[in-house]
Amino acid sequence: MSEKQEIILSGIRPTGRLHYGNYFGAVHHFIHLQEAGHRCYYFIADYHALTTITERVDFYRQTIDMLRTYVACGLDPVKSVIYRQSDLPCTAELALLLGMVTNIGHLERGTTYKDKLSKLTSKPGSEGNPLSYGLLGYPVLMAADILIVRADKVPVGDDQRQHVEMTMDIAQKFNHRFGETLKIPRATSRKALRLPGLDGGAKMGKSEHNTLDLLDDEKTVLKKIKAVQTSTDPLPLDTDSDLPEAVIPQMPPSVGMLYRLLNLLAPEDVYLDFLGKYRRKEKFYGMLKTTLAQHVSAFNAPIIERFNDPENSPEYVEDFLRENAKKVTPVGLATVEACREAIGIGHSLYRA
Ligand code: ATP
Ligand code: MG
């Protein structure tokens, strides 16, 4: 192994099925880092899922299915420590301690919180979970997730960049007040992806209901891609570059999303061929959609097959969750105990 072994941490909420934004923004990096031999902790963020619910949801079943999808994508519960956030409950204790050094003003500037606040103010009386203490404190819990395993690196999509920066701030403040206790993680790369939704919205998201999913079958893939809005004529491209970063921001959002996916999934010549058609303003959207749908279905087929493999059963998932909870618990408790000691309340007397 050429790279130095680092500690990696990342999580996904069990709020629906894994989609292409999750895959290329996060899971794809999880697999790469796992195969490079790093110490990887990947968790299902079931506590975080509670920030947006208004009634009981069967998160347990959703967690199991999401983990079967993880395995189907190539994550290996022997190489990586894959666990459930709620199986490491001392994360909540660390969040409580970190909350003591976190300013409310800092949390109020969080984008997730601000988005929810602006939706509520623009539609007063609308359905949904009102602004909760849990939602405001979401970045503190995320900081606890990251700091508890002493992560060096946090592979997340661009939408989570601000939360990682908040974690760095919270840890620095803790260390400044109470002495060097927490490891500061590295910031998220500026090149992190934010895949737009099938509706052309700025972000594909489970809660946005605008996703293309890894478990979508051929018929569903074609139907979803055909429904993407492409009635706008191509806008002129003010660049000779073929790079997606240069051309996609100049396209209508939903068309840009189709090109982004084509670039991620199809051979380069196919992407360049369709980019040429775009520049020449040929009639090509129908063909672009069927070609992309074929590539998406070919990508999904082996994942669907491995998802349904009888060995990838709920019992198998429960077994590895139990084993991995045992592996992560001493790591988490060591951090919490160090923080208790640093703050001055001393070690837990019942855990020893
Ligand atoms: P929810 O709507 O419930 O918040 P989500 O689709 O945003 O779900 P998360 O579980 O919040 O998914 O995020 C899991 C990981 O996937 C994070 O690392 C996040 O940055 C990444 N991710 C989510 N959506 C996208 C996207 N559209 N593009 C790139 N990365 C994404
Ligand atoms: Mg999200």
Side-chain angles (χ1 to χ4, degrees):
M1 196 183 62
S2 55
E3 290 174 76
K4 179 176 155 285
Q5 194 190 42
E6 292 194 299
I7 300 174
I8 313 295
L9 177 285
S10 197
I12 298 193
R13 308 197 319 153
T15 41
R17 303 204 310 177
L18 278 184
H19 56 74
Y20 272 71
N22 296 143
Y23 186 84
F24 286 104
V27 176
H28 164 79
H29 302 292
F30 295 0
I31 297 164
H32 169 81
L33 292 159
Q34 166 189 282
E35 295 311 316
H38 294 290
R39 180 76 175 151
C40 300
Y41 294 97
Y42 299 132
F43 68 99
I44 295 294
D46 53 356
Y47 283 155
H48 283 294
L50 305 179
T51 56
T52 46
I53 60 164
T54 50
E55 57 187 11
R56 186 182 191 279
V57 176
D58 192 352
F59 286 119
Y60 185 71
R61 190 189 52 76
Q62 290 183 195
T63 297
I64 298 288
D65 278 354
M66 187 158 279
L67 287 169
R68 290 170 66 209
T69 322
Y70 265 31
V71 172
C73 289
L75 284 167
D76 179 342
V78 174
K79 291 183 186 165
S80 296
V81 182
I82 301 175
Y83 63 101
R84 232 171 20 148
Q85 188 183 26
S86 63
D87 282 330
L88 188 65
C90 58
T91 310
E93 183 180 352
L94 183 59
L96 181 143
L97 300 181
L98 298 176
M100 305 302 169
V101 298
T102 310
N103 291 343
I104 292 182
H106 196 185
L107 295 175
E108 282 171 341
R109 288 192 291 277
T111 46
T112 311
Y113 178 79
K114 277 202 314 201
D115 287 353
K116 182 100 181 182
L117 179 64
S118 72
K119 272 185 204 148
L120 278 177
T121 2
S122 62
K123 275 199 235 156
S126 62
E127 291 288 305
N129 194 356
L131 296 172
S132 65
Y133 170 62
L135 184 75
L136 181 67
Y138 173 75
V140 183
L141 184 57
M142 181 159 160
D145 296 321
I146 296 170
L147 300 171
I148 206 162
V149 297
R150 308 187 162 277
D152 296 294
K153 192 171 171 179
V154 188
V156 285
D158 180 68
D159 59 301
Q160 292 293 329
R161 172 203 308 283
Q162 191 199 33
H163 290 147
V164 178
E165 287 166 4
M166 286 170 123
T167 298
M168 296 163 76
D169 289 345
I170 292 171
Q172 267 153 359
K173 206 150 167 205
F174 188 99
N175 287 351
H176 183 71
R177 266 195 209 168
F178 305 114
E180 288 301 313
T181 314
L182 295 166
K183 191 200 269 181
I184 317 284
R186 282 209 305 280
T188 305
S189 157
R190 291 263 149 214
K191 287 192 222 142
L193 177 80
R194 185 181 300 225
L195 189 71
L198 288 177
D199 57 357
K203 178 186 159 327
M204 182 175 286
K206 288 181 246 107
S207 313
E208 261 76 35
H209 307 293
N210 61 0
T211 62
L212 183 62
D213 298 339
L214 296 171
L215 296 179
D216 282 342
D217 61 18
E218 216 174 322
K219 226 169 114 191
T220 311
V221 167
L222 192 62
K223 195 168 148 213
K224 283 187 177 179
I225 293 184
K226 281 208 161 156
V228 171
Q229 152 82 272
T230 44
S231 55
T232 341
D233 281 338
L235 302 167
L237 298 180
D238 182 21
T239 173
D240 292 334
S241 169
D242 293 331
L243 290 175
E245 290 67 37
V247 291
I248 287 174
Q250 300 187 29
M251 296 176 172
S254 49
V255 176
M257 184 270 307
L258 296 176
Y259 273 88
R260 171 66 72 184
L261 282 174
L262 194 71
N263 180 254
L264 289 167
L265 297 171
E268 198 182 7
D269 56 329
V270 175
Y271 163 76
L272 291 175
D273 180 42
F274 276 101
L275 191 57
K277 292 185 198 304
Y278 184 97
R279 287 190 198 279
R280 296 190 296 275
K281 297 191 177 186
E282 289 172 16
K283 282 206 170 310
F284 65 95
Y285 282 144
M287 213 205 303
L288 169 67
K289 286 179 174 179
T290 35
T291 306
L292 177 61
Q294 281 161 5
H295 285 285
V296 170
S297 292
F299 191 83
N300 284 4
I303 298 176
I304 295 173
E305 197 183 318
R306 289 193 295 263
F307 177 85
N308 291 316
D309 184 332
E311 291 199 3
N312 189 10
S313 64
E315 294 71 32
Y316 165 70
V317 172
E318 280 186 337
D319 283 349
F320 78 66
L321 279 179
R322 213 169 286 121
E323 287 313 306
N324 285 334
K326 284 186 210 153
K327 286 189 198 163
V328 71
T329 296
V331 179
L333 286 178
T335 308
V336 174
E337 291 294 324
C339 289
R340 290 179 60 126
E341 194 59 45
I343 280 188
I345 55 174
H347 285 278
S348 154
L349 296 178
Y350 80 90
R351 275 187 202 129

